[in-house]
Amino acid sequence: ALRMTEDTNDRPIQGFALTRLGYARLALGLVEEAVDTFEQAVALRTDFGSPNMLMESLAGLASALLAHQQPQAALTHVQVILNHLDQHGLDGTEAPVRIYQVCYQVLLANQDERARDVLHRGYVLLQDRANQIYDERMRRMYLENVVSHREVIRRWMNP
């Protein structure tokens, strides 16, 4: 997808593809490559002027930096996300619960007192969205089959 967007210069899709690639690299344990990829996504989305989608890429970068044993650097990006949350929310983002989950992890790693509040906000958002799914099986899948959703629930239930 990234190669195809380079030919068409479709910047929104490039940002999406880079962010997805960053998460894939992170999942594979390619932490340095993930950091680099997320940095590219952040730069692209900053230049393109897509603030809500930028939060997705910043969360990915913070997650990669945390995996790279750089919790202070990760906290810098989380602070930007939290400021954005307070002013604009996360409407229009692809995975807002994942953003909350990453913020929580980074705050926790930095022993920041805001961690529990951020976890609570993510949990409430997750439950609100889940409650809009009327099919019980689909709602359960939404809550249990998405890694960040499971993690938010687990952390909320077992502080």
Side-chain angles (χ1 to χ4, degrees), residues 37-137:
T37 303
F38 283 123
E39 286 175 341
Q40 290 175 49
V42 166
L44 182 82
R45 286 181 162 168
T46 299
D47 290 344
F48 181 69
S50 178
N52 281 0
M53 296 310 289
L54 173 60
M55 298 306 112
E56 297 269 4
S57 300
L58 283 172
L61 180 56
S63 186
L65 288 168
L66 190 60
H68 201 258
Q69 306 301 315
Q70 296 180 24
Q72 288 289 79
L75 184 60
T76 302
H77 300 298
V78 164
Q79 187 58 53
V80 172
I81 295 168
L82 294 177
N83 290 340
H84 183 85
L85 271 169
D86 290 341
Q87 295 177 13
H88 307 287
L90 290 175
D91 288 340
T93 57
E94 179 188 356
V97 174
R98 178 172 56 197
I99 295 171
Y100 277 107
Q101 185 240 347
V102 168
C103 289
Y104 168 75
Q105 287 178 318
V106 170
L107 292 169
L108 189 65
N110 283 281
Q111 300 177 343
D112 190 300
E113 63 189 24
R114 299 173 292 175
R116 187 76 179 161
D117 177 61
V118 167
L119 179 63
H120 177 256
R121 290 166 68 183
Y123 181 79
V124 168
L125 175 66
L126 176 61
Q127 294 303 316
D128 286 348
R129 289 189 171 199
N131 288 335
Q132 294 175 23
I133 303 171
Y134 296 108
D135 180 278
E136 179 62 33
R137 186 177 70 79

